[in-house]
Amino acid sequence: QITLKESGPTLVKPTQTLTLTCSFSGFSLTTSGVGVAWIRQPPGKALEWLATIYWDDQRRYNPSLESRLTSTKDTSKHHVVLRMTSMDPVDTGTYYCAHTSGIRGSYRQYMDVWGQGTTVIVSS
Amino acid sequence: EIVLTQSPGTLSLSPGNTATLSCRASPILSIKYLAWYHQKPGQAPRLLIYGTSNRATGIPDRFSGSGSGTDFTLTINRLEPEDFAVYYCHQYGNSPYTFGQGTKLQIQ
């Protein structure tokens, strides 16, 4: 059974760097075709894809946020880390990580199992 | 960037009815890369459909997806109380991967 859980600070100040961890079980991020994505959702709004890191350490970032995002993985510890710099109040919302799957070997992957999400509030 | 526009914004129906949700892509999108999720209040989204028409594990056959090119549809037959939620379409064919703004399916 695949499970994921996000963790990190609930409150960050403007201009600070947010660091979130996605701890997972039930799969290996070294298995071909596997990825972990980050998605966020401002209160009452729609979902926004942020980044995906793949089995081969390839990464894809949303171009609108790419300069602020870094995704890394620690396969031995079964977790993925997302760093987002220069936090602003508009970055307030729920941040999810999700296991991704797709056609074998493709980076085009849908999110098939989601974590419960973690709330991040950006305020001074 | 592929923009996904969902309609209607809100759909009010009764249990037992059929819901038809629309997702329009601009520009054109391959049918391989369209998914649907639903999200209940306070919960994470749940995958329903991937590749336009493939049901995810554990999703009942009351849920079906169809479409091609720019127009995609999620149909839910025989609505049950647990189906009332917000539904999102999602394209994962072209980065940045995008979501529609959502359709809220509410009980009439």
Side-chain angles (χ1 to χ4, degrees):
Chain A
Q1 181 190 5
I2 292 173
T3 64
L4 306 99
K5 187 173 184 179
E6 307 84 352
S7 60
T10 298
L11 181 65
V12 297
K13 296 184 187 304
T15 75
Q16 286 188 335
T17 294
L18 171 69
T19 300
L20 295 175
T21 299
C22 175
S23 302
F24 58 83
S25 64
F27 68 96
S28 171
L29 203 36
T30 59
T31 300
S32 180
V34 172
V36 171
W38 289 94
I39 309 97
R40 71 177 179 179
Q41 185 173 37
K45 296 189 177 181
L47 301 159
E48 179 181 30
W49 169 74
L50 301 177
T52 304
I53 188 165
Y54 298 95
W55 73 96
D56 58 1
D57 212 31
Q58 288 289 317
R59 300 129 202 232
R60 297 288 186 271
Y61 296 106
N62 190 318
S64 67
L65 295 164
E66 185 165 7
S67 64
R68 299 173 53 203
L69 294 173
T70 304
S71 181
T72 58
K73 62 184 174 79
D74 185 327
T75 53
S76 63
K77 295 182 180 178
H78 286 78
H79 70 232
V80 170
V81 173
L82 182 75
R83 293 180 68 249
M84 179 181 287
T85 61
S86 306
M87 292 295 285
D88 183 273
V90 300
D91 297 314
T92 293
T94 300
Y95 286 71
Y96 297 98
C97 63
H99 174 276
T100 64
S101 295
I103 297 171
R104 195 169 190 175
S106 171
Y107 296 122
R108 294 165 164 168
Q109 302 191 341
Y110 51 88
M111 297 97 179
D112 55 358
V113 183
W114 295 60
Q116 64 189 24
T118 188
T119 298
V120 176
I121 299 170
V122 185
S123 174
S124 55
Chain B
E1 174 174 324
I2 294 180
V3 176
L4 299 178
T5 303
Q6 293 187 242
S7 61
T10 302
L11 184 59
S12 299
L13 292 169
S14 300
N17 286 167
T18 296
T20 303
L21 286 68
S22 174
C23 177
R24 178 159 289 181
S26 178
I28 195 169
L29 172 67
S30 168
I31 65 169
K32 295 179 184 177
Y33 307 119
L34 194 284
W36 290 91
Y37 304 84
H38 72 185
Q39 184 179 33
K40 299 176 185 179
Q43 296 186 18
R46 181 183 181 187
L47 176 69
L48 302 171
I49 300 285
Y50 63 93
T52 295
S53 60
N54 301 286
R55 276 187 300 278
T57 302
I59 301 302
D61 60 8
R62 301 184 294 103
F63 291 82
S64 63
S66 63
S68 64
T70 59
D71 292 298
F72 299 85
T73 300
L74 175 69
T75 302
I76 313 169
N77 293 314
R78 304 181 303 282
L79 282 167
E80 298 194 2
E82 61 265 28
D83 297 335
F84 293 91
V86 179
Y87 288 77
Y88 294 99
C89 56
H90 164 59
Q91 69 82 17
Y92 50 98
N94 292 78
S95 180
Y97 309 124
T98 51
F99 292 84
Q101 82 281 16
T103 289
K104 183 178 182 180
L105 177 59
Q106 63 182 24
I107 298 178
Q108 188 171 46

